Amino acid sequence: MADFETLRQELRGLDGDLYLCHLFAPGDKRDALLTLYHFYADIARIPASVSDPMIGAIRLQWWRDLLDSVAAGESRGAPMGEALLVYFFEKAALMPLIDGREAALGEGARTLEQLEQEAGQIGPALMQLGANLLQADAPQELLAEAGTGFELMRLVPQAGEAVAARAHEKLQAACLAFNKLPRPQRKELLPVFLPVGLAKRHAAHFPRPKSLLHYQLALLKMAFIGKL
């Protein structure tokens, strides 16, 4: 039996933004979005949590093996395995969230182009999975722009003003495009686009972030008016 309340509290520690945003999903979709975001956040921390690329590669392979087990109906005793048995995702759709982290296991600083390539593999896949969960249609180019900008902002290194500026450019374009969608379509897609709106504000204030309260109020405003 999947313990979604424990996963919810874990997500709160793993990724505060995604934790808050998933709470705005419809009640019947909330745990599914929680499962997706927990999966993403758990894997996203691997490159920064290991000093040896080989260990990182082993941890990524563990997630691939877990997906194989889930496809066979087994959870391997993992809480995320139990959740994935409840909310099934196609393995091929989840793989970019794992494979996209391989590049970050290498040594040395990466260029803006390399970071954007990684973001373009992971972010759009995450957005597409979220839209699919909500059974909401969205233009592919919008999902790609929003997802790449969101993930690129997550990859900004120290003294990464140029990376943050590029992320802001993409996020700004995505938010403008989202706001032009018909109101019913925006309402359906809003839960998976709220992290994009938050990321845009993080990018705009980099490297001097505002207070946590500032971003929480911004999130509430976006959720209330239905625009980013």
Side-chain angles (χ1 to χ4, degrees):
M1 179 69 70
D3 184 353
F4 290 107
E5 289 311 310
T6 296
L7 291 177
R8 204 178 318 280
Q9 293 310 310
E10 289 178 355
L11 179 61
R12 189 173 189 172
L14 287 170
D15 195 306
D17 282 356
L18 292 182
Y19 165 77
L20 290 174
C21 290
H22 101 281
L23 296 175
F24 291 93
D28 61 335
K29 306 290 186 182
R30 193 169 298 136
D31 286 347
L33 196 59
L34 164 68
T35 300
L36 174 61
Y37 284 169
H38 197 297
F39 183 91
Y40 163 87
D42 229 342
I43 296 169
R45 64 177 177 164
I46 290 176
S49 66
V50 299
S51 57
D52 185 338
M54 182 60 69
I55 295 176
I58 291 171
R59 291 188 182 179
L60 292 178
Q61 186 57 46
W62 183 90
W63 285 98
R64 297 186 186 99
D65 294 342
L66 177 63
L67 293 183
D68 287 335
S69 295
V70 168
E74 300 289 340
S75 69
R76 302 183 70 186
M80 272 303 301
E82 296 289 349
L84 290 169
L85 285 175
V86 176
Y87 296 107
F88 176 76
F89 296 85
E90 292 286 349
K91 179 182 177 181
L94 288 172
M95 286 302 292
L97 277 60
I98 303 174
D99 294 342
R101 299 298 174 189
E102 293 278 3
L105 297 178
E107 298 181 359
R110 290 182 290 160
T111 66
L112 170 57
E113 290 73 20
Q114 290 171 321
L115 291 172
E116 190 166 348
Q117 182 177 10
E118 178 180 342
Q121 184 175 359
I122 298 169
L126 177 66
M127 293 297 296
Q128 184 66 69
L129 284 161
N132 291 347
L133 278 180
L134 298 178
Q135 299 178 316
D137 292 326
Q140 292 299 307
E141 60 272 18
L142 173 56
L143 294 176
E145 188 86 348
T148 302
F150 167 81
E151 187 60 34
L152 187 58
M153 191 59 209
R154 296 301 184 93
L155 298 175
V156 173
Q158 289 186 347
E161 283 84 354
V163 180
R166 177 60 174 158
H168 185 261
E169 177 185 332
K170 299 185 80 64
L171 291 163
Q172 179 78 359
C175 289
L176 289 173
F178 175 87
N179 291 342
K180 292 178 181 178
L181 294 175
R183 182 181 178 87
Q185 190 175 14
R186 293 201 317 271
K187 183 178 180 180
E188 289 183 342
L189 287 167
L190 185 63
V192 297
F193 271 84
L194 287 174
V196 176
L198 276 182
K200 182 188 75 169
R201 286 158 175 79
H202 286 305
H205 300 140
F206 186 86
R208 292 177 291 277
K210 299 289 186 178
S211 68
L212 177 60
L213 178 61
H214 173 89
Y215 296 112
Q216 290 174 336
L217 291 174
L219 176 61
L220 287 173
K221 181 179 178 181
M222 289 187 290
F224 180 74
I225 68 174
K227 288 190 173 183
L228 307 179

